[in-house]
Amino acid sequence: MILRERDTQEGLLVAVCDDDVLGETFEAGDVSFTVSEEFYGGDEVDESEVVDSLTRASVANIVGTEAVSLAIEKGFVDEESVLDLDATKHAQFLRV
């Protein structure tokens, strides 16, 4: 998976995606979603690093079947809140 962290005034922003979706565009109905290098590009990491990052995140954007499945399994997002976008999945969370 590919992970990028950004410190913001609101806290840690985490973007994580599966390796194979970076640079791809997905569509579902009227929704078109591009997994851009400028937002999601970062370091290739293993599952434990993703979990550590999501644990510390204030806001997270998660794209890809593997990454979203991990986020569900570890309790970061509810499966009901996941968007199906063509051949992949997308989830977000915000801690307040």
Side-chain angles (χ1 to χ4, degrees), residues 18-93:
D18 292 358
D19 301 3
D20 63 342
V21 301
L22 188 63
E24 298 292 324
T25 297
F26 299 94
E27 296 184 4
D30 294 339
V31 177
S32 178
F33 184 83
T34 300
V35 187
S36 69
E37 173 76 36
E38 86 180 344
F39 187 79
Y40 287 93
D43 299 321
E44 193 164 330
V45 298
D46 63 22
E47 286 185 1
S48 66
E49 291 175 273
V50 170
V51 170
D52 177 64
S53 185
L54 292 176
T55 299
R56 296 179 290 108
S58 299
V59 177
N61 292 277
I62 309 158
V63 183
T65 304
E66 181 183 359
V68 171
S69 293
L70 178 64
I72 292 168
E73 175 188 324
K74 299 298 182 180
F76 295 107
V77 296
D78 293 326
E79 192 167 1
E80 297 81 37
S81 65
V82 173
L83 297 175
D84 285 313
L85 296 172
D86 194 19
T88 198
K89 298 186 180 297
H90 178 266
Q92 295 178 307
F93 74 78

